[in-house]
Amino acid sequence: MEPFADAACAPIDFPIAPAKAVPLALKRAGLSIDQVSKFEVNEAFSAVAIANQKILGIPTEKLNVSGGAVALGHALGSSGSRIIVTLVHLLKPGEYGVAGVCNGGGGASAIVIQRL
């Protein structure tokens, strides 16, 4: 199982690129959005998480539940590690979580994790 994925769209549409990477990572993990307990979508801008939430149909109570980068900080060069560490601490044993991040070139990465 390779529970991660990269995807891309036009550079101008980079804020919604996670909506392309997340479904690919979920498919590779053999999971659906309903089976995921928590989602962390990096807020390169405040609207990024909301836009991806609407596109993917993520329930509000599952998305950035401790606050996103606007509330917690946007660690320069460490956004991915920040969202993964937050996600790990939010999950209960056996639960799945998804982290997604976009980049300024139109790309995005997503990963599915399970807390053991």
Side-chain angles (χ1 to χ4, degrees):
M1 173 172 81
E2 296 179 347
F4 57 88
D6 294 311
C9 57
I12 196 165
D13 294 326
F14 79 90
I16 60 168
K20 295 185 177 292
V22 167
L24 292 173
L26 285 170
K27 182 177 180 182
R28 290 179 178 174
L31 297 171
S32 67
I33 284 184
D34 295 341
Q35 294 172 288
V36 177
S37 298
K38 301 284 186 277
F39 291 82
E40 283 288 318
V41 176
N42 188 55
E43 293 174 340
F45 300 98
S46 299
V48 171
I50 295 167
N52 286 280
Q53 176 187 22
K54 289 185 182 222
I55 293 168
L56 294 169
I58 300 170
T60 301
E61 64 274 9
K62 292 184 175 187
L63 178 65
N64 292 1
V65 300
S66 292
V70 173
L72 300 174
H74 195 335
L76 183 61
S78 294
S79 297
S81 62
R82 203 280 303 153
I83 63 176
I84 292 292
V85 169
T86 299
L87 189 57
V88 166
H89 286 281
L90 289 170
L91 296 173
K92 295 176 183 159
E95 289 184 335
Y96 290 96
V98 173
V101 61
C102 59
N103 67 50
S109 298
I111 189 167
V112 178
I113 64 170
Q114 181 183 24
R115 181 149 185 196
L116 301 176

